[in-house]
Amino acid sequence: MLSPKKVKWRKQQRGRMRGKASRGNRVSFGEYGIQALECGWITSQQIEACRVTIMRTLKRGAKLWIRVFPHKSVTATAAETRMGKGKGSPEYWVAVVKPGTMMFELAGASHENSTKALKLAMDKLPIKAQFVKNENS
């Protein structure tokens, strides 16, 4: 699973997800991609599940770029714990995704195979996403 090697602070606040992605919103490296249509948190497990699905579908015959990285730690306290006693310990890592963010890119596979692989990967994601093609190719 993806996670940062080193962080300055162990715990982070939840933050707000407002606006659209102004950067990282075009297919830059590959020919096809998955673009987010709404905001949300993508966990490192979900990113890994998408990666495995794409690579298995294409039988490792293509190049994949993962354009999101889980930088934010999410904390949790045990169930049925009374209030107080501070914030919980970090449980997992998430990538904050805004509408328009390009999450995955793919190159080196046919249009049919790319479409199939990326549609299967979109089913693993907790947010709505769309299949996009590079304007130049």
Side-chain angles (χ1 to χ4, degrees):
M1 252 51 84
L2 294 171
S3 66
K5 287 189 181 78
K6 185 179 175 185
V7 288
K8 194 166 186 179
W9 312 108
R10 274 180 60 224
K11 301 175 183 179
Q12 289 187 7
Q13 294 187 343
R14 293 175 66 88
R16 292 172 72 174
M17 291 176 278
R18 294 175 48 190
K20 295 179 179 168
S22 57
R23 295 182 296 185
N25 54 4
R26 292 190 182 86
V27 180
S28 303
F29 302 104
E31 300 165 3
Y32 308 102
I34 297 177
Q35 188 176 37
L37 293 177
E38 57 187 17
C39 60
W41 285 351
I42 312 294
T43 66
S44 58
Q45 291 93 338
Q46 290 161 348
I47 294 170
E48 179 67 10
C50 290
R51 185 194 68 79
V52 168
T53 302
I54 293 168
M55 286 291 110
R56 280 188 180 160
T57 306
L58 298 174
K59 299 181 175 59
R60 299 191 315 165
K63 171 77 174 143
L64 177 70
W65 288 269
I66 301 171
R67 298 278 309 270
V68 290
F69 187 83
H71 290 290
K72 181 188 271 298
S73 63
V74 177
T75 61
T77 52
E80 300 181 12
T81 304
R82 292 189 178 191
M83 293 287 104
K85 300 195 173 51
K87 194 170 182 175
S89 59
E91 294 292 316
Y92 56 95
W93 296 89
V94 296
V96 179
V97 173
K98 290 182 173 185
T101 303
M102 198 61 59
M103 294 183 283
F104 297 92
E105 291 188 25
L106 195 60
S110 67
H111 181 72
E112 297 80 30
N113 291 342
S114 299
T115 307
K116 181 182 174 188
L118 293 178
K119 297 260 185 198
L120 285 170
M122 279 190 265
D123 292 337
K124 309 280 183 196
L125 295 170
I127 61 172
K128 289 180 187 169
Q130 68 179 356
F131 174 83
V132 291
K133 189 173 181 251
N134 193 348
E135 299 95 24
N136 299 336
S137 62

